Amino acid sequence: VATYTLTNAVPLSPSVSKSWHRDIGRVVEQALVPHCSKKDHLYLLAGAIPSSVRVKGKVSVPETLWLAACCDGPERWSLGLVKKTDDENSLVDFTVGELENQLLSRVHLFKGSCGKDHQSQEKIEAILQAVSQIRSGEQVGTSDNQEAKDGGLVRKVAGIIATPFIKLLELLIYVFVELVKLVFYFLWLVIKRVCGTVLDGVCSLWNGVVSYLKAISMVLISIPYDVGRVIINIFLGFLEIVQDVASLTYRILRIPVGFVLHLAAFPYHSICAIPSVLKDMATGIGGTFSLVIDATVAVLHGFYYLAGHIVKRF
């Protein structure tokens, strides 16, 4: 909640923020780090003391910015620096105890009273001398900045003159970027269309191959069925031939039996049945020839039916 309402923020004006970071950077690099023998034993804390001025009733504008430093090395020392936000050039040094008394919460900044006991006065004096040199250099730098502001008018005029050319260059760059994007978009469309066509062709080819394999499978499956039907028809034709041969044999064997019976009854019927005998003989002879002809025709018909059926199936 505090993050999203910015209650943990320290709002600073651009000039104060710039001078604070510049001064603290110089102090840390030129005064604090060189006088701490063990760099990993140098501890720094920074914060702000809020004022009664609040932005939208929530975010407090700081009244004072502070930095606390402690070196927990063989030669211990601690130091506090304070900058007023209404004075960019102010940078006042305090002891850590004096800085803790100025904080609203009256907290202890360092655990175990880092640097409070047995502090090296030589180190503290050297650090304060370096801070004083940085502070004096800041004042000189301020006058130099005034001269730089006077010479900044020429740069502003040059910037106003160069602005149209810069805008034109930005427009050309924008047009070039849009053209490159358009070319890449066109290439993407072409590649997409080509890939779609290739995929459609592959799908059509796959469907054709599947249909062809399906048709071949159906034909291969139907071959045993057709062969079975042919074998059954051949067997049925053979049975018809056997039936025809049996019928022919029966008819041939029936002729002598009738003739013998007629001869056996000849003494009884010979006298009064001569015309009838002659008639029966003629009928028997005609029947015999008729049976021979029928048998021959039946045999030929059976072979013709079998041969035609086999040829038709194959």
Side-chain angles (χ1 to χ4, degrees), residues 13-36:
S13 64
S15 58
V16 174
S17 176
K18 184 178 180 180
S19 65
W20 168 254
H21 287 90
R22 182 187 65 243
D23 296 343
I24 295 304
R26 291 178 180 175
V27 169
V28 172
E29 293 179 359
Q30 300 177 16
L32 303 183
V33 173
H35 293 87
C36 188

PDB file of all heavy atoms in Angstrom, residues 13-36:
ATOM      1  N   SER A  13      13.323  18.421  -5.703  1.00  0.00           N
ATOM      2  CA  SER A  13      13.396  19.212  -6.931  1.00  0.00           C
ATOM      3  C   SER A  13      14.603  18.750  -7.739  1.00  0.00           C
ATOM      4  O   SER A  13      15.561  18.194  -7.182  1.00  0.00           O
ATOM      5  CB  SER A  13      13.519  20.695  -6.593  1.00  0.00           C
ATOM      6  OG  SER A  13      14.737  20.927  -5.900  1.00  0.00           O
ATOM      7  N   PRO A  14      14.616  18.931  -9.048  1.00  0.00           N
ATOM      8  CA  PRO A  14      15.750  18.451  -9.863  1.00  0.00           C
ATOM      9  C   PRO A  14      17.093  19.018  -9.409  1.00  0.00           C
ATOM     10  O   PRO A  14      18.089  18.312  -9.375  1.00  0.00           O
ATOM     11  CB  PRO A  14      15.386  18.913 -11.272  1.00  0.00           C
ATOM     12  CG  PRO A  14      13.892  19.016 -11.265  1.00  0.00           C
ATOM     13  CD  PRO A  14      13.524  19.474  -9.887  1.00  0.00           C
ATOM     14  N   SER A  15      17.125  20.284  -9.015  1.00  0.00           N
ATOM     15  CA  SER A  15      18.411  20.882  -8.623  1.00  0.00           C
ATOM     16  C   SER A  15      18.907  20.298  -7.303  1.00  0.00           C
ATOM     17  O   SER A  15      20.101  19.993  -7.158  1.00  0.00           O
ATOM     18  CB  SER A  15      18.253  22.407  -8.503  1.00  0.00           C
ATOM     19  OG  SER A  15      17.240  22.719  -7.541  1.00  0.00           O
ATOM     20  N   VAL A  16      17.989  20.137  -6.328  1.00  0.00           N
ATOM     21  CA  VAL A  16      18.388  19.563  -5.043  1.00  0.00           C
ATOM     22  C   VAL A  16      18.844  18.106  -5.225  1.00  0.00           C
ATOM     23  O   VAL A  16      19.847  17.664  -4.646  1.00  0.00           O
ATOM     24  CB  VAL A  16      17.238  19.662  -4.031  1.00  0.00           C
ATOM     25  CG1 VAL A  16      17.590  18.932  -2.733  1.00  0.00           C
ATOM     26  CG2 VAL A  16      16.925  21.122  -3.734  1.00  0.00           C
ATOM     27  N   SER A  17      18.106  17.335  -6.024  1.00  0.00           N
ATOM     28  CA  SER A  17      18.472  15.943  -6.247  1.00  0.00           C
ATOM     29  C   SER A  17      19.845  15.840  -6.907  1.00  0.00           C
ATOM     30  O   SER A  17      20.678  15.011  -6.518  1.00  0.00           O
ATOM     31  CB  SER A  17      17.412  15.268  -7.128  1.00  0.00           C
ATOM     32  OG  SER A  17      17.784  13.950  -7.437  1.00  0.00           O
ATOM     33  N   LYS A  18      20.100  16.722  -7.882  1.00  0.00           N
ATOM     34  CA  LYS A  18      21.395  16.697  -8.561  1.00  0.00           C
ATOM     35  C   LYS A  18      22.531  17.069  -7.621  1.00  0.00           C
ATOM     36  O   LYS A  18      23.577  16.394  -7.589  1.00  0.00           O
ATOM     37  CB  LYS A  18      21.347  17.648  -9.755  1.00  0.00           C
ATOM     38  CG  LYS A  18      22.615  17.640 -10.594  1.00  0.00           C
ATOM     39  CD  LYS A  18      22.467  18.571 -11.796  1.00  0.00           C
ATOM     40  CE  LYS A  18      23.731  18.574 -12.635  1.00  0.00           C
ATOM     41  NZ  LYS A  18      23.607  19.484 -13.806  1.00  0.00           N
ATOM     42  N   SER A  19      22.360  18.131  -6.838  1.00  0.00           N
ATOM     43  CA  SER A  19      23.431  18.549  -5.928  1.00  0.00           C
ATOM     44  C   SER A  19      23.652  17.514  -4.823  1.00  0.00           C
ATOM     45  O   SER A  19      24.787  17.260  -4.418  1.00  0.00           O
ATOM     46  CB  SER A  19      23.083  19.913  -5.317  1.00  0.00           C
ATOM     47  OG  SER A  19      21.916  19.798  -4.495  1.00  0.00           O
ATOM     48  N   TRP A  20      22.573  16.875  -4.334  1.00  0.00           N
ATOM     49  CA  TRP A  20      22.709  15.864  -3.287  1.00  0.00           C
ATOM     50  C   TRP A  20      23.505  14.661  -3.786  1.00  0.00           C
ATOM     51  O   TRP A  20      24.449  14.227  -3.124  1.00  0.00           O
ATOM     52  CB  TRP A  20      21.319  15.443  -2.823  1.00  0.00           C
ATOM     53  CG  TRP A  20      21.304  14.219  -1.952  1.00  0.00           C
ATOM     54  CD1 TRP A  20      20.888  12.988  -2.315  1.00  0.00           C
ATOM     55  CD2 TRP A  20      21.740  14.105  -0.595  1.00  0.00           C
ATOM     56  NE1 TRP A  20      21.010  12.106  -1.277  1.00  0.00           N
ATOM     57  CE2 TRP A  20      21.545  12.767  -0.192  1.00  0.00           C
ATOM     58  CE3 TRP A  20      22.276  15.002   0.329  1.00  0.00           C
ATOM     59  CZ2 TRP A  20      21.851  12.321   1.077  1.00  0.00           C
ATOM     60  CZ3 TRP A  20      22.585  14.550   1.602  1.00  0.00           C
ATOM     61  CH2 TRP A  20      22.370  13.215   1.957  1.00  0.00           C
ATOM     62  N   HIS A  21      23.149  14.145  -4.936  1.00  0.00           N
ATOM     63  CA  HIS A  21      23.872  12.987  -5.455  1.00  0.00           C
ATOM     64  C   HIS A  21      25.312  13.343  -5.826  1.00  0.00           C
ATOM     65  O   HIS A  21      26.226  12.532  -5.641  1.00  0.00           O
ATOM     66  CB  HIS A  21      23.133  12.418  -6.678  1.00  0.00           C
ATOM     67  CG  HIS A  21      21.875  11.697  -6.332  1.00  0.00           C
ATOM     68  ND1 HIS A  21      20.653  12.327  -6.254  1.00  0.00           N
ATOM     69  CD2 HIS A  21      21.648  10.389  -6.006  1.00  0.00           C
ATOM     70  CE1 HIS A  21      19.722  11.452  -5.927  1.00  0.00           C
ATOM     71  NE2 HIS A  21      20.281  10.274  -5.760  1.00  0.00           N
ATOM     72  N   ARG A  22      25.521  14.563  -6.316  1.00  0.00           N
ATOM     73  CA  ARG A  22      26.887  14.968  -6.655  1.00  0.00           C
ATOM     74  C   ARG A  22      27.745  15.076  -5.401  1.00  0.00           C
ATOM     75  O   ARG A  22      28.872  14.558  -5.350  1.00  0.00           O
ATOM     76  CB  ARG A  22      26.853  16.299  -7.406  1.00  0.00           C
ATOM     77  CG  ARG A  22      28.249  16.777  -7.841  1.00  0.00           C
ATOM     78  CD  ARG A  22      28.199  18.177  -8.429  1.00  0.00           C
ATOM     79  NE  ARG A  22      27.807  19.170  -7.437  1.00  0.00           N
ATOM     80  CZ  ARG A  22      26.704  19.910  -7.497  1.00  0.00           C
ATOM     81  NH1 ARG A  22      25.862  19.757  -8.510  1.00  0.00           N
ATOM     82  NH2 ARG A  22      26.420  20.796  -6.554  1.00  0.00           N
ATOM     83  N   ASP A  23      27.212  15.740  -4.368  1.00  0.00           N
ATOM     84  CA  ASP A  23      27.990  15.938  -3.144  1.00  0.00           C
ATOM     85  C   ASP A  23      28.258  14.615  -2.436  1.00  0.00           C
ATOM     86  O   ASP A  23      29.392  14.346  -2.003  1.00  0.00           O
ATOM     87  CB  ASP A  23      27.244  16.899  -2.205  1.00  0.00           C
ATOM     88  CG  ASP A  23      27.107  18.283  -2.815  1.00  0.00           C
ATOM     89  OD1 ASP A  23      27.851  18.575  -3.776  1.00  0.00           O
ATOM     90  OD2 ASP A  23      26.232  19.044  -2.354  1.00  0.00           O
ATOM     91  N   ILE A  24      27.226  13.788  -2.288  1.00  0.00           N
ATOM     92  CA  ILE A  24      27.405  12.525  -1.582  1.00  0.00           C
ATOM     93  C   ILE A  24      28.344  11.611  -2.357  1.00  0.00           C
ATOM     94  O   ILE A  24      29.167  10.877  -1.764  1.00  0.00           O
ATOM     95  CB  ILE A  24      26.035  11.859  -1.347  1.00  0.00           C
ATOM     96  CG1 ILE A  24      25.199  12.720  -0.409  1.00  0.00           C
ATOM     97  CG2 ILE A  24      26.211  10.455  -0.771  1.00  0.00           C
ATOM     98  CD1 ILE A  24      25.860  13.024   0.911  1.00  0.00           C
ATOM     99  N   GLY A  25      28.252  11.629  -3.688  1.00  0.00           N
ATOM    100  CA  GLY A  25      29.172  10.811  -4.476  1.00  0.00           C
ATOM    101  C   GLY A  25      30.618  11.216  -4.257  1.00  0.00           C
ATOM    102  O   GLY A  25      31.498  10.357  -4.095  1.00  0.00           O
ATOM    103  N   ARG A  26      30.865  12.520  -4.221  1.00  0.00           N
ATOM    104  CA  ARG A  26      32.237  12.995  -3.976  1.00  0.00           C
ATOM    105  C   ARG A  26      32.699  12.642  -2.568  1.00  0.00           C
ATOM    106  O   ARG A  26      33.848  12.230  -2.361  1.00  0.00           O
ATOM    107  CB  ARG A  26      32.300  14.504  -4.186  1.00  0.00           C
ATOM    108  CG  ARG A  26      32.127  14.944  -5.641  1.00  0.00           C
ATOM    109  CD  ARG A  26      32.151  16.463  -5.733  1.00  0.00           C
ATOM    110  NE  ARG A  26      31.977  16.918  -7.108  1.00  0.00           N
ATOM    111  CZ  ARG A  26      31.872  18.211  -7.451  1.00  0.00           C
ATOM    112  NH1 ARG A  26      31.920  19.149  -6.498  1.00  0.00           N
ATOM    113  NH2 ARG A  26      31.717  18.535  -8.715  1.00  0.00           N
ATOM    114  N   VAL A  27      31.809  12.824  -1.578  1.00  0.00           N
ATOM    115  CA  VAL A  27      32.197  12.547  -0.186  1.00  0.00           C
ATOM    116  C   VAL A  27      32.548  11.071  -0.016  1.00  0.00           C
ATOM    117  O   VAL A  27      33.553  10.723   0.620  1.00  0.00           O
ATOM    118  CB  VAL A  27      31.055  12.957   0.767  1.00  0.00           C
ATOM    119  CG1 VAL A  27      31.317  12.429   2.170  1.00  0.00           C
ATOM    120  CG2 VAL A  27      30.926  14.476   0.810  1.00  0.00           C
ATOM    121  N   VAL A  28      31.716  10.181  -0.594  1.00  0.00           N
ATOM    122  CA  VAL A  28      31.968   8.747  -0.439  1.00  0.00           C
ATOM    123  C   VAL A  28      33.260   8.353  -1.140  1.00  0.00           C
ATOM    124  O   VAL A  28      34.098   7.620  -0.585  1.00  0.00           O
ATOM    125  CB  VAL A  28      30.767   7.936  -0.968  1.00  0.00           C
ATOM    126  CG1 VAL A  28      31.100   6.440  -0.992  1.00  0.00           C
ATOM    127  CG2 VAL A  28      29.542   8.196  -0.107  1.00  0.00           C
ATOM    128  N   GLU A  29      33.460   8.826  -2.355  1.00  0.00           N
ATOM    129  CA  GLU A  29      34.624   8.406  -3.135  1.00  0.00           C
ATOM    130  C   GLU A  29      35.916   9.051  -2.649  1.00  0.00           C
ATOM    131  O   GLU A  29      36.969   8.405  -2.642  1.00  0.00           O
ATOM    132  CB  GLU A  29      34.400   8.747  -4.619  1.00  0.00           C
ATOM    133  CG  GLU A  29      33.281   7.933  -5.272  1.00  0.00           C
ATOM    134  CD  GLU A  29      33.078   8.329  -6.723  1.00  0.00           C
ATOM    135  OE1 GLU A  29      33.790   9.245  -7.189  1.00  0.00           O
ATOM    136  OE2 GLU A  29      32.199   7.739  -7.383  1.00  0.00           O
ATOM    137  N   GLN A  30      35.868  10.341  -2.228  1.00  0.00           N
ATOM    138  CA  GLN A  30      37.099  11.068  -1.934  1.00  0.00           C
ATOM    139  C   GLN A  30      37.409  11.163  -0.435  1.00  0.00           C
ATOM    140  O   GLN A  30      38.576  11.361  -0.070  1.00  0.00           O
ATOM    141  CB  GLN A  30      37.014  12.495  -2.505  1.00  0.00           C
ATOM    142  CG  GLN A  30      36.815  12.524  -4.021  1.00  0.00           C
ATOM    143  CD  GLN A  30      36.662  13.934  -4.560  1.00  0.00           C
ATOM    144  OE1 GLN A  30      36.992  14.918  -3.864  1.00  0.00           O
ATOM    145  NE2 GLN A  30      36.165  14.051  -5.784  1.00  0.00           N
ATOM    146  N   ALA A  31      36.377  11.001   0.423  1.00  0.00           N
ATOM    147  CA  ALA A  31      36.619  11.201   1.853  1.00  0.00           C
ATOM    148  C   ALA A  31      36.389   9.938   2.675  1.00  0.00           C
ATOM    149  O   ALA A  31      37.197   9.613   3.556  1.00  0.00           O
ATOM    150  CB  ALA A  31      35.716  12.326   2.378  1.00  0.00           C
ATOM    151  N   LEU A  32      35.318   9.200   2.409  1.00  0.00           N
ATOM    152  CA  LEU A  32      34.974   8.069   3.274  1.00  0.00           C
ATOM    153  C   LEU A  32      35.723   6.802   2.882  1.00  0.00           C
ATOM    154  O   LEU A  32      36.349   6.153   3.739  1.00  0.00           O
ATOM    155  CB  LEU A  32      33.455   7.825   3.227  1.00  0.00           C
ATOM    156  CG  LEU A  32      32.574   9.014   3.621  1.00  0.00           C
ATOM    157  CD1 LEU A  32      31.110   8.622   3.601  1.00  0.00           C
ATOM    158  CD2 LEU A  32      32.968   9.561   4.975  1.00  0.00           C
ATOM    159  N   VAL A  33      35.661   6.400   1.606  1.00  0.00           N
ATOM    160  CA  VAL A  33      36.285   5.139   1.186  1.00  0.00           C
ATOM    161  C   VAL A  33      37.795   5.139   1.403  1.00  0.00           C
ATOM    162  O   VAL A  33      38.349   4.151   1.910  1.00  0.00           O
ATOM    163  CB  VAL A  33      35.925   4.848  -0.289  1.00  0.00           C
ATOM    164  CG1 VAL A  33      36.692   3.633  -0.805  1.00  0.00           C
ATOM    165  CG2 VAL A  33      34.426   4.630  -0.438  1.00  0.00           C
ATOM    166  N   PRO A  34      38.517   6.210   1.060  1.00  0.00           N
ATOM    167  CA  PRO A  34      39.981   6.158   1.261  1.00  0.00           C
ATOM    168  C   PRO A  34      40.413   6.040   2.719  1.00  0.00           C
ATOM    169  O   PRO A  34      41.529   5.578   2.984  1.00  0.00           O
ATOM    170  CB  PRO A  34      40.454   7.497   0.660  1.00  0.00           C
ATOM    171  CG  PRO A  34      39.380   7.897  -0.300  1.00  0.00           C
ATOM    172  CD  PRO A  34      38.104   7.436   0.335  1.00  0.00           C
ATOM    173  N   HIS A  35      39.556   6.419   3.675  1.00  0.00           N
ATOM    174  CA  HIS A  35      39.960   6.401   5.080  1.00  0.00           C
ATOM    175  C   HIS A  35      39.390   5.198   5.832  1.00  0.00           C
ATOM    176  O   HIS A  35      39.405   5.177   7.072  1.00  0.00           O
ATOM    177  CB  HIS A  35      39.525   7.698   5.784  1.00  0.00           C
ATOM    178  CG  HIS A  35      40.242   8.906   5.278  1.00  0.00           C
ATOM    179  ND1 HIS A  35      39.801   9.638   4.178  1.00  0.00           N
ATOM    180  CD2 HIS A  35      41.389   9.515   5.696  1.00  0.00           C
ATOM    181  CE1 HIS A  35      40.624  10.641   3.961  1.00  0.00           C
ATOM    182  NE2 HIS A  35      41.613  10.606   4.871  1.00  0.00           N
ATOM    183  N   CYS A  36      38.870   4.218   5.129  1.00  0.00           N
ATOM    184  CA  CYS A  36      38.429   2.975   5.774  1.00  0.00           C
ATOM    185  C   CYS A  36      39.271   1.844   5.186  1.00  0.00           C
ATOM    186  O   CYS A  36      39.202   1.535   3.982  1.00  0.00           O
ATOM    187  CB  CYS A  36      36.942   2.727   5.521  1.00  0.00           C
ATOM    188  SG  CYS A  36      36.257   1.336   6.470  1.00  0.00           S
TER     189      CYS A  36
END
